[in-house]
Amino acid sequence: MGESLNGLKRTIMCGEIREKHIGDRVVVMGWVQRKRNLGGLVFIDLRDREGILQVVFGEEINKDAFNKADLAKSEYCIAVSGNLVKRESPNPNMPTGMVELKGEEIKILSESETPPIYIKENLDAAESIRLKYRYLDLRRPDMQRIFKIRHKTTKIIRDFMDGEDFLEMETPILTKSTPEGARDYLVPSRNYNGKFYALPQSPQLFKQLLMVSGYDKYFQIAKCFRDEDLRANRQPEFTQVDMEMSFVEENDVIELNERLIKRVFKEMADVEVKLPIERMTWKTAMEKYGSDKPDLRFGMEINDISEEVKASDFKVFKSALEDGGSVRAVKASNSADMPRKKIDKLGEFVKTYKAKGLAWIALKEDGIKSPIAKFLKEEELKAIIDKVQGKTGDLILIVADKNSVVFQALGALRLELAKELEILKDNKEFRFVWITEFPLLSYNEEEGRFQAEHHPFTMPMDEDIQYLESDPGRVRAKAYDIVLNGEELGGGSVRIHDTALQEKMFKVLGFTKESAWERFSFLLEAFKFGPPPHAGLAYGLDRLIMFLAGTENIKDVITFPKNQNAFCPLTEAPNVVDENQLCELGIRFENNKE
Amino acid sequence: MGESLNGLKRTIMCGEIREKHIGDRVVVMGWVQRKRNLGGLVFIDLRDREGILQVVFGEEINKDAFNKADLAKSEYCIAVSGNLVKRESPNPNMPTGMVELKGEEIKILSESETPPIYIKENLDAAESIRLKYRYLDLRRPDMQRIFKIRHKTTKIIRDFMDGEDFLEMETPILTKSTPEGARDYLVPSRNYNGKFYALPQSPQLFKQLLMVSGYDKYFQIAKCFRDEDLRANRQPEFTQVDMEMSFVEENDVIELNERLIKRVFKEMADVEVKLPIERMTWKTAMEKYGSDKPDLRFGMEINDISEEVKASDFKVFKSALEDGGSVRAVKASNSADMPRKKIDKLGEFVKTYKAKGLAWIALKEDGIKSPIAKFLKEEELKAIIDKVQGKTGDLILIVADKNSVVFQALGALRLELAKELEILKDNKEFRFVWITEFPLLSYNEEEGRFQAEHHPFTMPMDEDIQYLESDPGRVRAKAYDIVLNGEELGGGSVRIHDTALQEKMFKVLGFTKESAWERFSFLLEAFKFGPPPHAGLAYGLDRLIMFLAGTENIKDVITFPKNQNAFCPLTEAPNVVDENQLCELGIRFENNKE
């Protein structure tokens, strides 16, 4: 059974009704959140996108309506007409709590079976069932709040970019593999059997082409695709706020984006982001925080104690230093009494980052306790404590290894300690930092060659270009990431627009002229025709929305997400297709494959 | 060679410079449109996104700059600093024509080879070369104008929808086949070998789910995909302005969209669209214009002359009427003297629409001429002429056949005549019309069953529901198209939200309960939980932009389009992929396929 509207028009949303509307005759429509029959009165909490309104039906108000209302159950979709009156027992916890609607007419627009999940905030249901019944999960007010945030945020971004004379331009989804290096999703071609389109991992090449085309300022809120094994906060398709500008340098991109960030966080979170946002070189970030996305909401910085222990005979320190590594420490305040078991667990933790072990020094009330004390001279111990400004009650945690391991282990340990010590509990801060001067290249030990850290079109810093061939690992890039509370929100770079430099770069990356051409042909070809200096940046929109909505689950900010196996429990995609479709594509499947 | 900006900042765009800027010191950057060395002075027309500025270099202004400027060639990318002065020989045809820049410094940011196409308006180059060098084609000012229109139009649409409380929501690209009936693009799954995602033909099912989820008003500017054989104005991927509303009826959707249309055409074309827009039933459109997308910018309507010839012995008319068909005519004014050859050509033309032939009556100065006059009584001939209000100088063209053929043939003939007679030459009108009351179903003769004209979720008109099982062909739908100048700009419908009616609909379409469930499972499942009444509409954005930009080629409004074979000459997509990628997907190709 489903009644028609038959010309009945909604006059107001449930959630918009306030005391000032008392006396108004209204028509509202929505879903039955709850129905109670209390001695001759039927109360319905009626829910729409904007909120919940109490509706009361009684025999003395309208008997037919009363009887029909009593048929309604949870999640029935109904329309009600009547007068708004002052509520007899007001509920100050609800925005509409001063008012109730006396229901004179009701239409049952559609019925509902008992939903398999509760339509309420903070639902504690299994993800599989939430995704299978996503349309019910999306009815929950906290999910509706998130998608309002998402809509409003993209609107603000678009308004801002439009105001800055950027043109929003669409780039192709059916295209050729882009050189991001992750695995592409492929689309078999019917016209050219055996050939494939690739879904874009980003609009990188196209946005650079648009700069070559003179569009000057481009942006797009773009779908991107990566066929990677999914981790907690990854989805096969995700959304980027993507931009590119011509005739600019690093500072121009940063300055524009600071204004964008300020506006978004002001309007969406009522937070004043102070400009300019702090900048930190990659080197400093690694040395002080062991991470290129440092969380600056707390200190607990890493200290280099190599100098202090350089004369030590302690084998672990000695061999690390001899191998060109370092000895570094973080200090946890008021943690000297941490139980041995917990410290051992931290030791296991750093081993997952390839550290050989974790040394510690506890500055207890009753003196220093440390399993390594016996290996150190007293002045060495003192020097370490001085270097980290240790005082009674502190726990000093030390890793000695090659630098990359030390940074990674202590960077992770620092975050783990913050969690353990609840340092960030109730912290509402949004702490931004630009990380700059990234290494241009990193050495791939497996392949025995340098590879681009960002992508092969990233411009080296002017003063480092001289080392490009002689000492590639030393070259820093004109690349920048914007980091928020320890997460990368976005990143970008100045691009190479000089053909000679680009060719040198390819050479360093081990491309022959032919192989570079094969892979990037059309971009290289385009660069023959007066490419402008250009630079850009891209944000992960999903992550930005997660911050603004206060959720740590990317699935909460995507309407119809996939699960960890890139499967959609709602639509059951991917699925089998008709044999004749495969036939048209000329595709067969291996028999020996699952 | 490519110089760096090294801190040099652009101060203004070339195309923005006006007389009021004379005296300003500026830095401009752009491309060399033209360079001339006229006796000791180098003139460069410098082009950026906003327009062209004349720059002059001279030995007496700055000798180094003069020498360097003389090295510049077409499409070099340069930066110039200097003072703006009054131009000695003003060019009133250019917005910047009163001003010139005295170039004191020049940087050659990058050089250019001679471009394979001219960077100029109204280029007459082969499409293949335009698409291969798309980044140069996109440099042309008329293309840049189009993408500014595209950006601005989508901005206006988004502003409008936001103002009407619609939420822009993204729906998945990697999803399950949707029931539009065209061929899907497929994406093989790596996790589930042998299974596929499909790229969406439209967000139809998802937007209906979002209504079930209570989002109330949804819109999206969405990429859609169809793997169809391409016709002139089709692309494998295209963009829809897609919307859906809850708790509304047909008129609400139409009224909202009229205001949207009015706003877009006012702001983008400075045209006042008068509201309400005319509405015409499908039946009237077919009978008067032989088309469900009539071009109302001219008359030349179709007249039914069946009644006038019903007693005629003329075999062609007689057999058409006996078979349940009709005899209908269009009248071309001032065309009685059309040469016989041309008339014969029109006869051939209607045959391509399956008409058996074209009868004609020419009302010449010296009397009636008609090859069929001998078969008609004088009063019959007179009755025909009266019916079409023929007068001297007119040419009456007649088709007799079953109705569907008559409508199609005369509808096409009417447009052909308008072209032939140049009726629409210099017509700048934007003539909108809503077509309503479409047939819900059409009979598929091949498959011997009824099929949905719009899609299987379209609501029948209330008064016709009674015929759904007894006389399906008679049932009209709550569906509506918005037609502009004879082209469908968009269309939509009210959706069925009643499960019982939906099941009846599936039965009429020949689905068993199981097969309907198999195909639409999750939507049908969702409809168990209180679906609201809802209705929607989608526009083809590409076509809208074509109207606003005044181009008839869809490739002009898409940044990087495919050619007729769904191939991109620029990126060479689709292309072969690595064997190991196919291996991961478990895919092999048939040997006996090309």
Side-chain angles (χ1 to χ4, degrees), chain A residues 1-3 5-7 9-10 29 31 49 75 77 109-113 135 138-139 143-144 147 150-151 155 158-159 162 165-168 170-171 173-174 176 183 186-197 206 212-217 223 227-229 237 239 247 249 252 497-498 522 525-526 528-532 559-560 562 565-567 570-571 574-575 582-590 593-594, chain B residues 1-3 5-7 9-10 29 31 49 75 77 109-113 135 138-139 144 147 150-151 155 158-159 162 165-168 170-171 173-176 183 186-197 206 212-217 223 227 229 237 239 247 249 252 497-498 522 525-526 528-532 559-560 562 565-567 570-571 573-575 582-590 593-594:
Chain A
M1 186 192 93
E3 290 186 80
L5 292 173
N6 261 334
K9 277 191 194 296
R10 176 171 61 185
M29 304 187 188
W31 286 266
R49 195 179 83 181
E75 300 308 317
C77 184
L109 301 169
S110 66
E111 300 176 355
S112 175
E113 293 186 4
Y135 43 87
L138 287 172
R139 258 188 209 175
M143 295 302 278
Q144 300 206 338
F147 290 101
R150 191 168 176 126
H151 163 74
K155 185 69 173 59
R158 285 191 163 102
D159 287 348
D162 178 68
D165 290 330
F166 281 73
L167 299 178
E168 184 162 13
E170 295 175 60
T171 52
I173 299 290
L174 292 170
K176 199 186 165 192
R183 199 185 286 107
L186 300 176
V187 181
S189 158
R190 190 170 48 90
N191 293 5
Y192 303 90
N193 271 183
K195 295 192 173 183
F196 292 83
Y197 304 97
F206 291 109
V212 173
S213 297
Y215 286 85
D216 212 287
K217 290 177 184 161
K223 273 281 172 81
D227 187 9
E228 294 292 14
D229 299 316
E237 58 183 289
T239 306
F247 305 114
E249 296 179 294
D252 302 298
H497 72 280
D498 179 85
F522 59 92
E525 179 78 18
K528 289 183 183 170
F529 301 101
T559 52
F560 298 98
K562 307 287 190 295
N565 298 317
F567 176 77
L570 168 67
T571 61
N575 214 319
L582 297 188
C583 191
E584 282 186 302
L585 298 171
I587 284 180
R588 275 216 324 237
F589 282 91
E590 306 278 356
K593 276 278 216 172
E594 244 295 20
Chain B
M1 183 192 94
E3 289 186 79
L5 292 173
N6 261 334
K9 278 189 193 297
R10 176 170 64 184
M29 304 186 187
W31 286 265
R49 195 179 85 181
E75 301 308 319
C77 184
L109 300 170
S110 67
E111 299 178 355
S112 176
E113 293 186 3
Y135 43 86
L138 287 173
R139 258 188 208 176
Q144 301 208 337
F147 290 101
R150 190 165 177 130
H151 163 74
K155 184 69 173 60
R158 286 191 162 103
D159 288 347
D162 178 68
D165 291 330
F166 281 73
L167 299 179
E168 183 161 14
E170 295 176 58
T171 53
I173 299 291
L174 292 170
T175 181
K176 201 188 163 189
R183 198 185 286 107
L186 299 177
V187 181
S189 158
R190 189 171 48 89
N191 293 4
Y192 302 90
N193 271 183
K195 296 193 172 183
F196 291 83
Y197 305 96
F206 290 109
V212 173
S213 298
Y215 285 85
D216 213 287
K217 290 177 182 160
K223 272 285 173 77
D227 186 9
D229 299 317
E237 58 183 290
T239 305
F247 305 114
E249 297 180 292
D252 302 298
H497 72 280
D498 179 87
F522 59 93
E525 179 77 18
K528 288 182 183 172
F529 301 100
T559 51
F560 299 97
K562 308 287 190 296
N565 298 316
F567 176 78
L570 168 67
T571 61
N575 214 318
L582 297 188
C583 192
E584 282 187 301
L585 298 170
I587 284 180
R588 278 217 323 239
F589 282 92
E590 306 276 356
K593 278 277 218 170
E594 242 300 15

Side-chain angles (χ1 to χ4, degrees), chain A residues 172, chain B residues 131 134 235 554-556 558-563 567-569:
Chain B
L131 293 185
R134 184 62 166 178
Q235 283 282 310
I554 195 173
K555 297 188 191 81
D556 285 345
I558 292 178
T559 51
F560 299 97
K562 308 287 190 296
N563 72 11
F567 176 78
C568 173

